[in-house]
Amino acid sequence: MGVLSISYSSSLLSKLIGVPENNDWYPARRKTNVVFCQGGGNVIKSSGGLSSVLTERSSLVNTDHAATLMDAGSLVLSQNGKSQAEIGVKDLVPYGGPTSTTLIGLEDGIGIVKFLRGKKFFITGATGFLAKVLIEKILRTEPDVGKMYLLIKAKNKQAAMERLQNEIINTELFRCLKQIHGKSYQAFMLSKLVPVVGNVCEPNLGLDEDLSDVIADEVDVIVNSAANTTFDERYDTAININTRGPCRLMAIAKKCKKLKLFLHVSTAYVNGQRQGRIMEKPFSVGDCIAREKLISGVPPKYLPSLDIESEINLVSNSKGDIEDNLLAQKMREMGLERARRYGWQDTYVFTKAMGEMMIDKLREDIPVVVIRPSVIESTFSEPFPGWMEGNRMMDPIVLCYGKGQLTGFLVDPNGVLDVVPADMVVNATLAAMAKHGMTQEADINVYQIASSVVNPLVFQDLAKLLYEHYSSSPCIDSKGRPIQVPLMKLFSSTEEFSGHLWRDAIQKSGLTAMASSKGKMSQKLENICRKSVEQAKYLANIYEPYTFYSGRFDNSNTQRLMENMSEEEKREFGFDVKGIDWKDYITNVHIPGLRRHVMKGRGMGNQ
């Protein structure tokens, strides 16, 4: 799902089960952890034309060996592609084997690299999780790409440049590019990345007039990756960013003289409460999932009818009728109510679906690609396995479970969690971009990048994988004791889940249900339990549409896209989700990535 988030994430989960947030935890020592700087034995093309294979296995290592393995940033490349660390440590081997490829064959097939060469981009949401992986991949595989104009919300140019430096250029995600370019890294990045002060919520995106003219004259591809991804966001906020934002960007697109493609990053969950196999079909204005679900014999006047302009006016008119101190809560309630009335599960996916509808309405002869990922998680292999930023949908649960804070959850045991690694989403995006950017047909093409049809990850299997991982590699508490976790219990009803949390909260609080002389629990215990149950019901209400989701996302268009690629392109830009070994990915890639990049190494201990 583009990026799914909830406003309370792990902190609420900690409170929900009665464990202090600052409870220190430490992963216990594990035998091995592998993090590769570059997956698949791919060749990295440097600015000087020198190709080097980068491999690195030094993430989360025992600090005693840090000097031997070295940090990724200290790897020194020799001209035959071997680093000093590789030469000195036998354990370091190229990921995917010793044989490297070249970029020569990458102009066959779709011609992704050829398309990228010299192209200029305008990217919104550039400091977000997925957009950064996209930017890194483009710069690493085709350094001769043109400039990328990155829309950054900031008060002025200096503040925008600071965000560019702090949130993109100086982040760990770009460490491979730092190794490639060495001392010229900053100069290279600043020659390619241009921070543009603006906001998708403002008319003309709030662009400076001169920069607006430059973008109109130069840009070949627009990538809209800006979104508000909070499930229960205020309706006014979500509709302004997710629905009206694409409209404002499309107005910019129509001014672009050289535009070859408008690429919109959406989410597979815009399909709302559709069930069964869900095809890669674009939305049109007025589409309403609630109408699809009702039987054909219902008179049209009783069927819900979605009018986007009416929704925008509803928000505007309602704000004047609500007291300021109640506005935020009322807007959240309104978003969820309107979404569910029309057949969507929450405000996020409803406003994203309306955004797609408006793009189709306004596009005229502009070629459009809509990318619909499911739940985007950590990178599979590039630029290194396990890179992560922030809490994605399932991650607060995974981390709280490992810390012993959550022992059960509301979920269909036989249901499917549709997950895709971020780098596979980016690779599919680039393939679709090149294919339709070259043909430039005035059409709209949808690509669902998802695993539920071709390689489903079943919730009860995920629970077993989490249990196996934390049993063999437990976290340890602040006193040095391993945190033993039970197999996660999966509950099919809110009542069962609430009861479980009630009992768990009592046990973890150290209180007992000893009755007073009148047979009542202590007031303190009663308050703790009541709060836990209330929060559990709210949590279940937000998550339930996803943990009990019965739709499965077809990816036939995405599969055909892959078939159009050359063998070299498949190696460099692979996105075959069918080939993911979920046990290996969850255990050896994703959870270690969470520990390093989300927990920021806190409490890593002697791993």
Side-chain angles (χ1 to χ4, degrees), residues 9 13 74 196 234 263 464 495 570:
S9 82
L13 285 172
S74 65
V196 176
R234 289 174 50 150
L263 188 141
K464 292 176 183 175
E495 291 72 21
K570 290 177 184 177

Side-chain angles (χ1 to χ4, degrees), residues 548-573:
F548 288 84
Y549 193 73
S550 58
R552 300 293 179 265
F553 303 120
D554 180 85
N555 65 342
S556 297
N557 290 349
T558 306
Q559 291 286 99
R560 283 191 291 271
L561 185 65
M562 192 159 51
E563 292 168 4
N564 292 333
M565 298 167 69
S566 68
E567 291 304 312
E568 290 83 0
E569 284 180 325
K570 290 177 184 177
R571 284 191 286 271
E572 183 73 18
F573 298 93

Side-chain angles (χ1 to χ4, degrees), residues 301-353:
K301 67 177 181 178
Y302 295 115
L303 292 173
S305 178
L306 175 60
D307 185 316
I308 297 174
E309 291 300 323
S310 294
E311 294 302 305
I312 293 172
N313 291 334
L314 173 66
V315 166
S316 179
N317 296 335
S318 298
K319 290 176 75 171
D321 300 330
I322 303 173
E323 296 179 22
D324 289 345
N325 61 328
L326 300 175
L327 184 61
Q329 182 59 31
K330 291 296 183 183
M331 280 292 154
R332 285 192 176 90
E333 292 172 357
M334 180 185 292
L336 291 171
E337 187 275 324
R338 302 301 288 182
R340 289 164 184 172
R341 170 180 295 194
Y342 294 115
W344 281 268
Q345 54 266 49
D346 57 49
T347 311
Y348 165 53
V349 296
F350 178 44
T351 53
K352 286 292 285 185

Side-chain angles (χ1 to χ4, degrees), residues 208-393:
D208 173 270
E209 186 175 343
D210 292 338
L211 259 178
S212 182
D213 291 340
V214 170
I215 289 169
D217 290 338
E218 296 187 0
V219 164
D220 299 287
V221 178
I222 289 177
V223 177
N224 181 34
S225 187
N228 183 293
T229 61
T230 304
F231 290 173
D232 59 341
E233 184 56 85
R234 289 174 50 150
Y235 196 30
D236 54 341
T237 300
I239 209 168
N240 199 17
I241 297 173
N242 297 338
T243 304
R244 301 183 69 187
C247 299
R248 300 181 185 107
L249 191 57
M250 185 58 76
I252 298 289
K254 291 180 178 179
K255 299 177 185 177
C256 294
K257 302 177 179 66
K258 297 168 54 182
L259 190 69
K260 296 170 177 59
L261 187 71
F262 184 104
L263 188 141
H264 177 70
V265 179
S266 187
T267 166
Y269 289 91
V270 291
N271 289 291
Q273 296 173 0
R274 287 170 173 161
Q275 299 179 1
R277 190 164 185 145
I278 303 171
M279 307 308 289
E280 295 157 298
K281 179 183 176 182
F283 278 110
S284 297
V285 166
D287 283 351
C288 179
I289 291 173
R291 291 175 69 94
E292 299 172 3
K293 295 179 69 177
L294 294 173
I295 58 175
S296 58
V298 176
K301 67 177 181 178
Y302 295 115
L303 292 173
S305 178
L306 175 60
D307 185 316
I308 297 174
E309 291 300 323
S310 294
E311 294 302 305
I312 293 172
N313 291 334
L314 173 66
V315 166
S316 179
N317 296 335
S318 298
K319 290 176 75 171
D321 300 330
I322 303 173
E323 296 179 22
D324 289 345
N325 61 328
L326 300 175
L327 184 61
Q329 182 59 31
K330 291 296 183 183
M331 280 292 154
R332 285 192 176 90
E333 292 172 357
M334 180 185 292
L336 291 171
E337 187 275 324
R338 302 301 288 182
R340 289 164 184 172
R341 170 180 295 194
Y342 294 115
W344 281 268
Q345 54 266 49
D346 57 49
T347 311
Y348 165 53
V349 296
F350 178 44
T351 53
K352 286 292 285 185
M354 290 194 289
E356 283 195 28
M357 294 176 198
M358 294 304 296
I359 288 172
D360 185 55
K361 177 183 179 180
L362 299 171
R363 65 185 174 87
E364 296 178 355
D365 60 349
I366 293 176
V368 172
V369 165
V370 176
I371 300 294
R372 289 182 187 164
S374 54
V375 178
I376 305 176
E377 292 290 353
S378 59
T379 55
F380 183 75
S381 62
E382 291 189 85
F384 46 85
W387 185 77
M388 195 65 181
E389 188 174 68
N391 278 322
R392 308 268 75 76
M393 191 176 90

